[in-house]
Amino acid sequence: MIDPKLLRSDLDAVVANLSRRGFSFDVARFEQLESRRRDIQVETQAFQTERNASAKNIGQAKAKGEDIQPLLDAVASLGDKLKAAEESLAEVQGELESMLSGVPNLLHESVPAGKDEDDNELVRTWGEPRSFDFNAKDHMDLGADGSIDPDMGAKLTGARFVVLNGEIARLHRALIQFMFDLHTQEHGYQEVWVPYLVNEDSLRGTGQLPKFAEDLFALKGEREFYLIPTSEVPVTNFARDRIFESGELPQKFVCHSPCFRSEAGSHGRDTRGLIRQHQFEKVEMVRLEKASDSWEALEELIRNAETVLQRLELPYRVVNLCSGDIGFGASKTYDIEVWLPGQEKYREISSCSNMTDFQARRMLARSREGQSKPELIHTLNGSGLAVGRTLIAVMENYQNADGSIAIPEALQPYMGGLEKILQPS
RNA sequence: GGAGAGGUGGCAGAGUGGUCGAUUGCGAUGGUCUUGAAAACCAUUGAACCGUUAAAAGUUCCGAGGGUUCGAAUCCCUCCCUCUCCGCCA
């Protein structure tokens, strides 16, 4: 949620910023709601003041043994008036709330203008796409021996689910361990393990609800739990309803979890292979930062994610998402796109965002220096990396003409020293 | 699943339906004293909203949501969470 005070004090700037996303803010409706809110709130509080005062008087009169009936008569109608006022206040506040919760975050000035992913700004590239002296296969062909089994996934569950077997399943697991060790031992992140089911409050805190409910898997039954779409949700919500004292920030977490996404609205896209699954693994970095430190933290975060690919010697590029492509809650996002020989394309493998105070405001996550007033913190998150897509990248970039796959040096310790897998028998 | 006990400010822990946003202790911050520190003493010390140049004043919040009442931390209902014992279980 953006700062409602900013909407009152500097509406034009907010509207201009939002229009860069192509979001048109209904100024007339907002101002109408806001002025109604103010009138009703003043009225309600006046009634409350009156109620408090009269209740106090009655109490004192009663204590002295006086006749309180006249006092009771005097406030007879107050209750109904107050109740009506409180109800309409709740109503107008609810309308404002739902209006504001649909407003995306303000963009950082460095976010390039643009309509879609074609307008993203290239920040840097690393490594050279390898040239093959044979026809490079994609990961599905490489795993066609049953290592990657979409039919079994479909049988067990449905479309966009998959079973991994043998050495490929092990490689998948090795990637997770490798990423964890890198981020904890070299980048200073604290390893955490979290629930994969969360409540509504947590999803509200990070912004998936109320607007993006259709992207989530929800549990049936008496409890309203949701499967997490990313461990950003539980980990960032550590900060919900908290005030961090000076010295407690920054906090840097790394977490691995399965991620569950309904992929509503992406029918027909990336139907082949592991690119877009309903269930995938992700190693996620989450940072809780003082507001003044968050932009520097974003640069470090993206470098931390890039290091994974550098160690795996996978070519990639970094792009600065344009105003039309950036996510709802982010103020600025860098994507890392890894080279996939099977598609001869760079494909997203990590997304690192500074959410500024957007999530913190919803969560009431604050920090305090000494005795000063609490201020909202900034939250950041970035994949480090999406494991399934990293698996694809390793398979496709390290493939040999005979269909076997070399293991990147950095991963060999995690593969029991194996240098090659899927060797033809 | 069964039985019981609880959820109050950073922490601990009081609170007969009425001067209770809440006694007290600890902690923290400032001050007195001291060469300095400790101790002692004094003072300050929750958050959100609204509002203001800044204040003040005002409203709300005692797990959450409803209800009763002129008035609710206190009474009633529903839900959530924690703890103890029993049962079952990875």
Side-chain angles (χ1 to χ4, degrees):
Chain A
M1 178 146 19
I2 62 173
D3 188 354
K5 281 186 196 133
L6 212 53
L7 281 168
R8 277 171 241 149
S9 64
D10 205 358
L11 185 60
D12 292 346
V14 173
V15 168
N17 189 304
L18 291 172
S19 73
R20 289 170 59 197
R21 288 182 181 261
F23 184 92
S24 73
F25 185 75
D26 191 341
V27 174
R29 179 171 148 76
F30 173 74
E31 286 184 330
Q32 187 220 334
L33 278 174
E34 186 46 26
S35 98
R36 264 188 65 206
R37 197 266 314 150
R38 196 170 335 153
D39 292 347
I40 297 174
Q41 184 163 349
V42 167
E43 185 192 36
T44 306
Q45 292 189 357
F47 284 141
Q48 287 170 330
T49 309
E50 196 181 332
R51 177 203 59 197
N52 293 344
S54 71
K56 205 176 247 186
N57 283 337
I58 292 170
Q60 285 170 344
K62 205 174 170 186
K64 288 185 211 148
E66 294 167 8
D67 178 17
I68 58 170
Q69 194 54 46
L71 290 168
L72 289 181
D73 294 343
V75 296
S77 65
L78 183 62
D80 290 341
K81 285 191 285 188
L82 176 58
K83 197 168 180 186
E86 281 175 339
E87 272 166 13
S88 46
L89 180 62
E91 191 188 326
V92 69
Q93 277 175 334
E95 280 178 59
L96 264 174
E97 166 90 24
S98 80
M99 182 178 185
L100 290 179
S101 67
V103 177
N105 199 0
L106 299 176
L107 296 175
H108 189 253
E109 57 191 4
S110 65
V111 171
K115 207 169 93 225
D116 54 34
E117 60 180 32
D118 296 331
D119 297 324
N120 292 340
E121 170 189 278
L122 180 64
V123 176
R124 56 182 166 265
T125 55
W126 187 94
E128 284 288 320
R130 170 182 163 196
S131 61
F132 291 86
D133 51 13
F134 56 92
N135 279 337
K137 296 175 179 166
D138 82 351
H139 63 285
M140 291 310 280
D141 287 337
L142 290 164
D145 64 340
S147 294
I148 298 177
D149 192 344
D151 296 336
M152 186 61 83
K155 173 182 169 183
L156 300 177
T157 310
R160 293 198 194 280
F161 286 89
V162 77
V163 168
L164 302 180
N165 273 296
E167 290 172 322
I168 291 299
R170 183 181 189 184
L171 178 58
H172 185 254
R173 174 165 57 91
L175 283 166
I176 297 165
Q177 305 304 338
F178 163 70
M179 291 177 196
F180 256 125
D181 286 349
L182 177 64
H183 294 312
T184 57
Q185 291 167 21
E186 297 188 39
H187 297 154
Y189 288 77
Q190 184 185 336
E191 180 170 346
V192 288
W193 182 84
V194 298
Y196 303 151
L197 298 177
V198 293
N199 59 31
E200 213 175 303
D201 285 344
S202 293
L203 288 159
R204 238 169 244 289
T206 34
Q208 282 77 17
L209 290 179
K211 217 185 163 191
F212 303 103
E214 62 172 24
D215 297 335
L216 299 166
F217 285 111
L219 255 58
K220 274 184 169 173
E222 71 265 38
R223 300 294 298 275
E224 295 236 343
F225 290 149
Y226 295 82
L227 278 70
I228 56 171
T230 159
S231 55
E232 166 201 340
V233 174
V235 177
T236 307
N237 272 279
F238 288 176
R240 172 150 52 86
D241 294 320
R242 270 202 65 179
I243 300 177
F244 295 95
E245 301 299 336
S246 42
E248 287 187 303
L249 293 181
Q251 294 200 2
K252 300 158 64 176
F253 298 104
V254 59
C255 185
H256 154 253
S257 82
C259 305
F260 302 94
R261 298 187 182 178
S262 77
E263 296 295 344
S266 62
H267 302 295
R269 267 168 56 201
D270 300 314
T271 49
R272 180 181 165 85
L274 296 185
I275 287 277
R276 195 174 299 278
Q277 297 278 298
H278 287 310
Q279 173 185 324
F280 62 96
E281 308 284 302
K282 188 150 59 74
V283 171
E284 182 80 359
M285 297 175 283
V286 170
R287 301 176 63 125
L288 310 176
E289 299 277 351
K290 284 193 286 190
S292 55
D293 298 339
S294 70
W295 294 108
E296 205 176 315
L298 178 64
E299 297 303 319
E300 191 183 287
L301 181 66
I302 180 72
R303 294 290 183 180
N304 294 152
E306 284 176 69
T307 302
V308 178
L309 290 169
Q310 291 174 11
R311 295 292 170 85
L312 295 175
E313 299 181 77
L314 292 167
Y316 67 84
R317 66 182 188 189
V318 177
V319 297
N320 180 6
L321 295 194
C322 75
S323 55
D325 199 29
I326 190 170
F328 181 74
S331 180
K332 178 174 183 175
T333 298
Y334 290 118
D335 270 9
I336 302 177
E337 299 176 338
V338 70
W339 178 254
L340 293 185
Q343 299 189 359
E344 296 197 300
K345 271 186 198 156
Y346 284 102
R347 291 300 306 257
E348 177 189 340
I349 197 167
S350 172
S351 199
C352 297
S353 302
N354 185 354
M355 318 301 271
T356 60
D357 60 10
F358 190 81
Q359 295 178 323
R361 182 167 294 105
R362 293 172 169 230
M363 293 192 298
L364 266 186
R366 293 146 296 168
S367 65
R368 170 166 54 203
E369 288 298 316
Q371 304 293 92
S372 61
K373 252 196 90 177
E375 70 164 0
L376 295 170
I377 67 167
H378 283 189
T379 56
L380 299 91
N381 62 79
S383 4
L385 306 164
V387 181
R389 290 186 181 181
T390 311
L391 178 75
I392 297 173
V394 170
M395 289 178 74
E396 295 189 3
N397 281 281
Y398 280 85
Q399 63 180 295
N400 298 312
D402 64 359
S404 65
I405 293 163
I407 301 297
E409 227 171 278
L411 278 182
Q412 288 173 11
Y414 297 90
M415 289 292 287
L418 281 180
E419 292 173 14
K420 203 191 265 190
I421 57 172
L422 299 193
Q423 306 196 58
S425 47

